[in-house]
Amino acid sequence: QVQLVESGGGLVQAGGSLRLSCAASGRTLSSYTMGWFRQAPGKEREFVAAIGWSGSSLDSADSVKGRFSISRDNAKNTVYLQMNSLKPEDTAVYYCAAGTGLWIGVRTVRQYDYWGQGTQVTVSS
């Protein structure tokens, strides 16, 4: 079992930055693909970014390319999402997830076995 806990969310003005962290316990994250997803009220959970177990494979949604970056520190069992140039449309609950499936499926919710409880990000205009 892997327990994931997100932190770092909050209220920020448009154009600002936040860094989300996802700390794991129970097992080392070094063998998992890690993803960040978000869900706004009334909308489906959507893919934000993913990183492979070694950190060499990266993917991100077009809506956040050039603004968000995902990274991981396997020694600290933690994954990060650096969010810059935030927009009001980035407002959502952000979730981290861990999975062991093929890289081709990293953008799909079903690919992931473990999920955190989420952290709220609110961007004011």
Side-chain angles (χ1 to χ4, degrees):
Q1 285 283 354
V2 176
Q3 291 80 43
L4 302 172
V5 178
E6 302 95 336
S7 61
L11 174 64
V12 64
Q13 287 189 334
S17 298
L18 284 174
R19 188 175 84 153
L20 305 183
S21 298
C22 173
S25 61
R27 283 187 186 177
T28 176
L29 286 183
S30 60
S31 59
Y32 289 89
T33 292
M34 300 299 298
W36 283 97
F37 288 74
R38 65 187 182 187
Q39 189 166 17
K43 294 188 176 181
E44 293 187 352
R45 193 167 296 192
E46 66 172 0
F47 170 76
V48 175
I51 186 167
W53 65 271
S54 69
S56 59
S57 297
L58 299 170
D59 190 19
S60 60
D62 289 345
S63 58
V64 305
K65 267 188 172 51
R67 301 188 299 121
F68 292 11
S69 63
I70 187 171
S71 61
R72 66 190 300 161
D73 185 336
N74 287 339
K76 294 184 177 179
N77 235 22
T78 302
V79 178
Y80 306 97
L81 184 68
Q82 178 66 43
M83 305 187 296
N84 300 325
S85 302
L86 282 159
K87 303 175 181 180
E89 51 263 44
D90 294 320
T91 295
V93 177
Y94 283 71
Y95 300 89
C96 72
T100 57
L102 296 176
W103 183 254
I104 193 171
V106 292
R107 294 188 173 212
T108 61
V109 170
R110 293 182 187 177
Q111 186 79 344
Y112 297 87
D113 305 305
Y114 303 102
W115 292 82
Q117 84 290 346
T119 185
Q120 176 71 46
V121 171
T122 303
V123 184
S124 63
S125 57

